[in-house]
């Protein structure tokens, strides 16, 4: 029997396959609620229905106020769409700009059709195709979370900081 990359010996629980926009939205907010130290998010577009919800804004605000060392880093392709369609997310970002950072993905990395979020390098949500309302969520998957975090770091390194362009100061 093949081993799923998110279900190795360090990953005691099986991943959850989720379906539907509402479930995806709720599980994303739930993942952010569980974060203790770090949140990494990659999305080509930050869709209002997923990212501009009261639940996600509240979870993100609670996360950054819990500890001075907590950080959230988010990558996006379309900065204009991000600011135009995500009022709640931008409000939290402006309020907590020392703890929440955005970067725009470098030109050579644009066109990806996935969304992923990693918390504390142990849990993740991965929507492999933004056109499908299905994703995998795993709350205790160090190996898969580490692999997604490594991909995130590579994209982050080549990205352009958006702090001033989002109307927030740093």
């Amino acid at each position: 029997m093949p081993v799923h990359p998110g279900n190795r010996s360090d990953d005691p629980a099986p991943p959850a396959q989720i379906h539907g926009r509402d479930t995806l939205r709720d599980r994303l907010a739930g993942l952010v609620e569980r974060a203790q130290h770090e949140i990494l998010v990659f999305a080509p577009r930050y869709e209002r229905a997923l990212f501009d919800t009261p639940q996600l804004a509240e979870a993100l605000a609670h996360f950054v106020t819990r500890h001075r060392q907590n950080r959230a880093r988010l990558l996006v392709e379309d900065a204009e769409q991000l600011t135009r369609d995500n009022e709640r997310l931008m409000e939290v970002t402006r309020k907590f700009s020392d703890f929440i950072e955005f970067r725009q993905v470098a030109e050579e990395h644009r066109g990806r059709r996935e969304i992923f979020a990693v918390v504390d390098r142990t849990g993740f949500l991965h929507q492999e195709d933004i056109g499908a309302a299905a994703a995998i969520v795993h709350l205790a998957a160090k190996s898969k979370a580490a692999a997604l975090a490594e991909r995130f770091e590579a994209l982050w390194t080549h990205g352009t900081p958006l702090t001033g362009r989002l109307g927030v100061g740093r």
Side-chain angles (χ1 to χ4, degrees):
M1 182 163 125
V3 176
H4 184 281
N7 197 17
R8 300 192 198 302
S9 60
D10 68 334
D11 307 329
Q17 186 78 34
I18 60 171
H19 301 279
R21 303 307 273 166
D22 292 343
T23 304
L24 187 58
R25 176 201 63 220
D26 294 345
R27 294 301 291 267
L28 178 62
L31 186 67
V32 170
E33 286 172 359
R34 295 178 58 89
Q36 296 296 310
H37 305 290
E38 178 184 53
I39 298 170
L40 309 173
V41 179
F42 169 79
R45 292 178 46 86
Y46 280 68
E47 293 180 37
R48 180 179 288 151
L50 294 179
F51 293 98
D52 199 45
T53 66
Q55 300 89 340
L56 186 65
E58 183 178 318
L60 189 56
H62 182 70
F63 165 76
V64 298
T65 58
R66 218 174 319 162
H67 193 279
R68 291 180 18 207
Q69 300 299 319
N70 286 0
R71 294 290 180 270
R73 294 185 293 150
L74 300 93
L75 282 161
V76 63
E77 283 188 16
D78 187 346
E80 289 179 25
Q81 179 274 326
L82 171 71
T83 57
R84 181 185 63 241
D85 295 345
N86 293 279
E87 293 175 22
R88 289 181 185 98
L89 182 58
M90 292 296 92
E91 183 179 322
V92 172
T93 299
R94 281 188 285 278
K95 189 173 182 180
F96 300 108
S97 62
D98 288 342
F99 307 99
I100 303 169
E101 296 179 70
F102 279 92
R103 285 194 182 179
Q104 189 165 21
V105 176
E107 191 68 40
E108 65 268 19
H109 297 294
R110 294 189 184 175
R112 293 174 184 262
R113 297 199 36 86
E114 66 180 328
I115 293 172
F116 61 86
V118 180
V119 298
D120 302 327
R121 298 184 188 242
T122 58
F124 71 89
L125 179 145
H126 189 196
Q127 182 183 13
E128 292 182 2
D129 181 357
I130 58 175
I136 296 171
V137 178
H138 203 308
L139 302 178
K142 290 180 184 177
S143 58
K144 178 67 174 177
L148 288 170
E150 188 175 312
R151 286 180 44 212
F152 179 92
E153 294 296 350
L155 295 168
W156 184 263
T157 299
H158 294 98
T160 304
L162 288 175
T163 305
R165 293 175 56 195
L166 296 178
V168 297
R170 225 173 165 2

